[in-house]
Amino acid sequence: MFNLPDDEILPLSKEHVFWTWSAQAKVNPIAVKKAKGVYFWDIDDKKYLDFNSMTMCVNIGHGNEKVIKAMQEQAAELPYAAPGMTTKVRALASKAVAEITPNKALSKVLFTLGGADANENAIKLARGYTKKHKILTRYRSYHGASAGAMAATGDPRRVAWEPNLMSGVVHFLDPYRYRSTFHRTNPNISEEDFTRDYLNHLEEIILYEGPDSIAAILIETVTGTNGIIIPPSGYMQGVRQLCDKYNILMICDEVMSGFGRTGKMFAIEHWNVIPDMLTMAKGLTSAYAPLGAVALKPEIASAFDEHAFESGLTYTSHPISLAAAIANIEVMKEEKIVEHASKMGNVLRRMLTDLGEAHPSIGEVRNIGLFGIIEVVKNRETKEPMAPWNSSSPEMNALKKYCADHGLFLYTHWHTILIIPPLIITEEELKEGMDILDRALEITDKAVK
Ligand SMILES: Cc1ncc(COP(=O)(O)O)c(C=O)c1O
């Protein structure tokens, strides 16, 4: 459709593109040309196995024809309608999302353009509904790059922009067992006591901050980039109880953990908890088109029955994105993708465990469904990470380069390797990637003290 020789894509991009999350002079992007299933190809026809679902978002895999066709037909029929109007796809997509929320309890849906503005809107809704101001979030979290979502973010991406962010966010600690601050001298503490310590910590912060000033607790149900931190048993129920006790809303950010990633449609279903709001994006359309959403309880929505919710987006409920979402959810159901992710999660667990036993530079492996992580360490006893906090290291860079050179696309975060493939991946494809990783880890093994 558009004419540009392949060998001009990179130079032209380097001339005109301003890159995010990157030092402009240091970017070296893959010029990607096509993608299908769990693979994509660059302009030199080099094939990559996608172990990160691009940006942890292509949940149903690349090149799904049903979703593409739905978008094409919607583009031909009606590519856009104003936010105050409604369309067939707006009616159907909001119903489709409401019906997959836990117990179908979050029956109102506000569509956004992505994850950050889903969280921003959830915060606004919480503040408007409770008439309270503060938002509690965790240190090991990422909630998006706009000013409010960045303020909510706990990780160093927030620190880079301080102090000019949204006020009123207070952070607390994540129940991160492998590197638990409270249990360095007592690492074998029972799961029950571990959970209790972290809930006590949260309750203490609620009391210090004043429950009457706290609108919501916003948490990634399973922490994504910052460590695939799987809540210990009882933790999510405990957060729910604290929210109820102190009249605080519970918002689960499932931008990364939602849409089958953990082997359930939403991760919170693992703990039978119903949050007051749930934010989503990425897997909502499997990234075929930009879309985010806040699903909320009807009683929160009705607090705005008589006065306006003073917020909006020109592209809310964009029909092409909604067509993608409806088709994507249908594909997930028809092809039993969530069930498959759960099954493949067990396969991934076995493979990760084997890898952990084989490599001295692996400190711990964790996964829930197809949401996996390897903690790469210099020393298993001290747990010294293979790269420092918020940084990289020659060993981690070399490991990543080895994988890329051998056609495995994955995401490393400081000293960790994330394994987040499209949910349609087969056992053979998983093994193909894990075999490359197995050889790559020999690089970090050499740095073990
Ligand atoms: C948990 C979580 N929340 C929010 C976001 C922000 O989403 P977006 O980049 O679509 O704004 C992300 C993105 O990675 C995320 O992982």
Side-chain angles (χ1 to χ4, degrees):
M1 198 189 301
F2 304 108
N3 288 325
L4 181 69
D6 283 353
D7 61 359
E8 289 181 28
I9 295 175
L10 208 49
L12 194 61
S13 301
K14 286 199 171 179
E15 197 178 337
H16 293 294
V17 173
F18 188 86
W19 309 90
T20 55
W21 302 121
S22 307
Q24 302 301 303
K26 293 186 186 164
V27 286
N28 192 20
I30 298 174
V32 61
K33 196 170 174 185
K34 62 175 183 185
K36 188 75 191 167
V38 296
Y39 297 99
F40 65 87
W41 288 260
D42 70 11
I43 50 170
D44 299 319
D45 284 328
K46 180 172 170 182
K47 185 180 177 187
Y48 290 86
L49 172 58
D50 185 357
F51 251 32
N52 196 47
S53 307
M54 286 286 179
T55 317
M56 303 90 166
C57 53
V58 187
N59 289 22
I60 62 163
H62 301 281
N64 186 288
E65 276 161 26
K66 176 167 176 157
V67 178
I68 293 168
K69 188 158 170 277
M71 292 167 65
Q72 285 169 333
E73 285 181 4
Q74 187 61 45
E77 192 177 308
L78 179 71
Y80 178 71
M85 299 176 178
T86 194
T87 59
K88 181 171 62 184
V89 282
R90 194 171 192 177
L92 288 173
S94 47
K95 176 170 183 273
V97 170
E99 286 188 345
I100 55 171
T101 61
N103 279 7
K104 305 185 183 181
L106 311 184
S107 60
K108 289 279 190 171
V109 182
L110 183 166
F111 286 110
T112 65
L113 314 188
D117 51 342
N119 286 325
E120 297 260 357
N121 278 286
I123 290 169
K124 284 181 185 163
L125 285 162
R127 286 176 168 170
Y129 175 72
T130 62
K131 312 267 187 289
K132 299 196 274 181
H133 180 67
K134 283 183 193 155
I135 307 291
L136 301 194
T137 72
R138 294 189 303 210
Y139 274 105
R140 288 181 188 265
S141 69
Y142 178 69
H143 295 293
S146 52
M150 197 62 110
T153 290
D155 82 17
R157 284 171 276 193
R158 162 181 51 87
V159 181
W161 289 100
E162 286 179 331
N164 299 311
L165 298 171
M166 180 186 77
S167 66
V169 180
V170 176
H171 296 99
F172 60 102
L173 292 169
D174 310 63
Y176 180 19
R177 176 121 205 176
Y178 184 64
R179 296 182 188 280
S180 174
T181 302
F182 301 142
H183 308 105
R184 294 206 173 128
T185 54
N186 183 16
N188 297 322
I189 184 170
S190 71
E191 183 156 2
E192 202 184 338
D193 288 348
F194 176 80
T195 300
R196 176 57 32 215
D197 284 346
Y198 276 92
L199 290 172
N200 286 344
H201 158 69
L202 174 56
E203 185 161 20
E204 203 170 329
I205 288 188
I206 291 171
L207 292 173
Y208 290 163
E209 291 298 330
D212 291 344
S213 72
I214 303 170
I217 296 177
L218 163 64
I219 47 179
E220 287 182 73
T221 310
V222 174
T223 300
T225 328
N226 284 293
I228 315 296
I229 300 168
I230 304 156
S233 116
Y235 180 81
M236 278 299 171
Q237 294 88 334
V239 173
R240 177 73 268 179
Q241 280 162 12
L242 287 173
C243 285
D244 292 342
K245 181 170 170 186
Y246 294 110
N247 211 10
I248 294 168
L249 295 181
M250 179 176 184
I251 308 171
C252 286
D253 176 343
E254 295 238 10
V255 169
M256 202 183 281
S257 62
F259 290 89
R261 177 53 60 199
T262 68
K264 300 272 187 195
M265 184 57 89
F266 292 105
I268 194 68
E269 292 168 40
H270 288 282
W271 297 282
N272 288 322
V273 165
I274 300 179
D276 299 298
M277 287 189 255
L278 205 150
T279 59
M280 60 195 88
K282 297 188 187 274
L284 170 57
T285 62
S286 287
Y288 282 71
L291 189 68
V294 188
L296 56 142
K297 285 186 173 164
E299 56 266 36
I300 300 174
S302 34
F304 300 89
D305 277 352
E306 302 304 327
H307 66 272
F309 175 60
E310 296 289 353
S311 195
L313 297 155
T314 297
Y315 299 125
T316 182
S317 301
H318 195 284
I320 299 175
S321 299
L322 296 187
I326 297 165
N328 175 64
I329 293 169
E330 280 177 12
V331 167
M332 290 198 120
K333 289 181 179 164
E334 284 161 10
E335 299 183 16
K336 299 199 180 327
I337 284 180
V338 181
E339 293 83 343
H340 179 74
S342 168
K343 224 182 293 163
M344 292 310 295
N346 295 334
V347 175
L348 177 61
R349 169 117 10 103
R350 205 178 64 226
M351 291 179 177
L352 281 172
T353 307
D354 290 349
L355 212 59
E357 280 164 13
H359 291 279
S361 61
I362 294 184
E364 185 172 85
V365 295
R366 296 185 288 279
N367 82 299
I368 177 165
L370 287 171
F371 212 21
I373 195 163
I374 298 172
E375 295 241 5
V376 191
V377 295
K378 290 193 170 160
N379 184 317
R380 277 184 174 168
E381 295 300 308
T382 63
K383 302 182 182 174
E384 182 188 348
M386 192 57 72
W389 170 254
N390 194 25
S391 189
S392 194
S393 67
E395 295 86 2
M396 290 303 294
N397 289 339
L399 176 141
K400 191 163 183 180
K401 182 173 182 314
Y402 179 95
C403 291
D405 287 350
H406 290 79
L408 179 64
F409 177 73
L410 49 66
Y411 187 75
T412 59
H413 188 66
W414 312 340
H415 70 290
T416 65
I417 303 166
L418 291 149
I419 297 165
I420 309 182
L423 306 180
I424 53 163
I425 198 163
T426 63
E427 181 160 355
E428 294 68 39
E429 291 160 343
L430 254 187
K431 183 166 182 326
E432 180 189 330
M434 295 303 268
D435 284 349
I436 298 170
L437 210 42
D438 186 23
R439 294 193 294 278
L441 281 157
E442 287 170 21
I443 297 168
T444 49
D445 285 348
K446 288 199 190 98
V448 168
K449 294 176 186 164

